[in-house]
Amino acid sequence: MKKIIYVLIGILIGLLVSLLLFQPRLDYFFDDESELIDNEMKIYDDDDDDDYEINRVEYYKGKLAIKLSDDEIKDAGIIVSKLTQDKITLEEEINAISIGYKNLLDVVSKYDVLNLQLSKSKINKTHNERIYLRLKSLYDEHGSIALKDLEEVEFKIESIKADMNSIQKDMDFLISEIKLEYGSILMDDVLSERKIFTSLINNSSSLLVIENVNLTNKNRNYKFNNEELIFLNPYNGNSNLRGNVAIFLLQNIKISSNSKLTVFLENEDLIEGYFIPESALLYHGGKVWAYFRENNEIFYKEEITNFYNIDNNKVFSTNSLLNLNIVVSGAQILLAEEFRSQIMQEDDD
């Protein structure tokens, strides 16, 4: 009986020892299991977050759109403005080239030489006319001089008159050359105060030839650097420009000869469209986009295809945008949200 009792006591002691030896491993096992359960819960929670992010993207009228709550719109700093139609006059870019004034200078120089000769001839003619009157008086009253002396002076006067007529014809020819090449404005200037001519030779003004000029409406508003150009005349020289080419005066700006440049022609027709601030535009994939809002919570982007750069702050678009609500602040946030949602959807796939 005692032996049986000793055996049972030994078994109990062995069980107690075993429990003591294996307790850390059991704790470790249950700790790992608890951690695995926690990790699974985190994954589950992350999946829920992903589903929430993906749900921001949906299709609206066949277009990919972002749906945001009022709080999300406010937190993102998204600002929307309604577009209204407007009208503008656009400037068309026109090719031009600067030309030198050497030919004009040569013609005017020849004209000035002839004019000086004419002035001397006039003085000489006046002097000989006075001599003639004095000699004729002596001849008529006293007969104290020979008739041939009087005739010689008279011949000299007629010779001077002939020279003067020849000089005047040469001067008129030169003036007609100026008018033919540069027009009446420059011709009148050369014959008067020469303000334009002086500005050219002093390098404070320039002559430009412009292509595709409507010669039936010569006074259209051409500009260069906001300086209005003055039409002078059709241009018949070699310029390699297209269509009807005309010469214009550019005041207050000097441009080197044979310089290619662009001038701007104000279009006579008004164009209807919409002013879009630069802050609303997105440049992506070689295209220009803007986001628009519908139903106060849906945001979708549209390509802006037809637009003109007005300045650094806005463009003018002829797209059909009447009464649309455009995102003027926060467009980059919407684009980033769209990309992030698309990437998440690809990862899920």
Side-chain angles (χ1 to χ4, degrees), residues 31-64:
D31 286 343
D32 283 350
E33 184 177 3
S34 178
E35 185 176 349
L36 288 173
I37 293 172
D38 289 342
N39 287 337
E40 287 179 0
M41 291 299 294
K42 289 181 181 178
I43 294 171
Y44 178 78
D45 292 340
D46 289 343
D47 288 341
D48 283 349
D49 290 342
D50 291 346
D51 289 340
Y52 177 70
E53 296 289 344
I54 292 172
N55 286 337
R56 288 181 178 175
V57 176
E58 60 181 54
Y59 281 90
Y60 176 79
K61 294 182 179 180
K63 299 174 182 177
L64 199 65

Side-chain angles (χ1 to χ4, degrees), residues 139-156:
Y139 177 79
D140 291 340
E141 293 179 6
H142 307 286
S144 57
I145 62 168
L147 180 60
K148 67 173 184 176
D149 294 335
L150 185 62
E151 290 177 340
E152 285 179 359
V153 175
E154 186 176 11
F155 177 78
K156 191 172 184 179

Side-chain angles (χ1 to χ4, degrees), residues 16 29 31 62 74 79 83 90 100 105 119 151 184 198 218 220 226-227 230 236-237 239 253-254 292 299 303 310:
L16 289 173
F29 171 77
D31 286 343
K74 183 179 179 180
I79 301 174
L83 289 174
L90 293 178
L105 180 61
S119 297
E151 290 177 340
S184 299
T198 301
K218 304 169 185 176
R220 298 184 69 187
N226 291 324
E227 188 74 31
I230 300 172
N236 298 317
S239 64
I253 298 177
K254 175 58 183 175
F292 298 89
F299 297 88
E303 183 183 357
I310 303 301

Side-chain angles (χ1 to χ4, degrees), residues 12-28:
L12 289 173
I13 293 172
L15 288 173
L16 289 173
V17 172
S18 297
L19 288 173
L20 291 173
L21 290 175
F22 287 100
Q23 181 64 36
R25 289 193 175 185
L26 290 173
D27 292 342
Y28 178 79

Side-chain angles (χ1 to χ4, degrees), residues 106-320:
D106 290 344
V107 173
V108 173
S109 298
K110 291 177 182 178
Y111 176 86
D112 289 344
V113 170
L114 291 174
N115 193 33
L116 181 60
Q117 292 177 4
L118 183 62
S119 297
K120 290 179 178 180
S121 296
K122 287 179 179 180
I123 295 172
N124 194 20
K125 172 177 167 289
T126 300
H127 175 69
N128 280 277
E129 285 175 341
R130 289 172 180 171
I131 294 175
Y132 175 79
L133 290 175
R134 186 169 66 252
L135 291 177
K136 190 174 186 306
S137 177
L138 292 173
Y139 177 79
D140 291 340
E141 293 179 6
H142 307 286
S144 57
I145 62 168
L147 180 60
K148 67 173 184 176
D149 294 335
L150 185 62
E151 290 177 340
E152 285 179 359
V153 175
E154 186 176 11
F155 177 78
K156 191 172 184 179
I157 292 173
E158 293 301 320
S159 178
I160 293 172
K161 286 181 179 180
D163 289 341
M164 289 174 61
N165 287 334
S166 178
I167 292 172
Q168 187 63 57
K169 286 181 180 179
D170 290 341
M171 291 173 64
D172 291 342
F173 176 76
L174 293 174
I175 289 299
S176 66
E177 276 194 355
I178 294 174
K179 182 179 181 180
L180 182 64
E181 185 169 355
Y182 299 99
S184 299
I185 293 177
L186 204 47
M187 179 196 72
D188 294 339
D189 177 76
V190 169
L191 293 175
S192 58
E193 297 179 354
R194 297 192 177 182
K195 291 182 178 180
I196 297 175
F197 179 75
T198 301
S199 69
L200 289 172
I201 63 176
N202 288 340
N203 294 326
S204 58
S205 296
S206 305
L207 296 175
L208 307 182
V209 289
I210 301 173
E211 71 178 13
N212 290 332
V213 175
N214 183 356
L215 296 178
T216 60
N217 187 2
K218 304 169 185 176
N219 296 321
R220 298 184 69 187
N221 194 9
Y222 289 90
K223 289 184 178 181
F224 179 80
N225 282 8
N226 291 324
E227 188 74 31
E228 189 170 340
L229 305 181
I230 300 172
F231 174 84
L232 295 179
N233 208 46
Y235 183 72
N236 298 317
N238 183 18
S239 64
N240 295 321
L241 297 176
R242 299 175 297 174
N244 293 319
V245 180
I247 184 170
F248 287 76
L249 173 66
L250 172 61
Q251 295 181 306
N252 305 319
I253 298 177
K254 175 58 183 175
I255 300 178
S256 301
S257 299
N258 300 317
S259 298
K260 294 181 180 179
L261 58 147
T262 300
V263 299
F264 296 90
L265 170 64
E266 190 173 275
N267 199 311
E268 294 177 322
D269 300 325
L270 290 174
I271 297 178
E272 295 183 346
Y274 307 85
F275 285 106
I276 301 178
E278 180 68 24
S279 61
L281 300 177
L282 298 166
Y283 300 90
H284 173 67
K287 298 179 180 180
V288 180
W289 307 84
Y291 271 96
F292 298 89
R293 187 182 69 182
E294 285 283 349
N295 301 331
N296 296 326
E297 60 180 5
I298 298 295
F299 297 88
Y300 64 92
K301 71 176 185 291
E302 287 275 5
E303 183 183 357
I304 307 299
T305 54
N306 303 309
F307 65 90
Y308 304 89
N309 290 312
I310 303 301
D311 53 37
N312 293 330
N313 296 320
K314 56 183 175 294
V315 301
F316 188 80
S317 173
T318 56
N319 284 52
S320 180

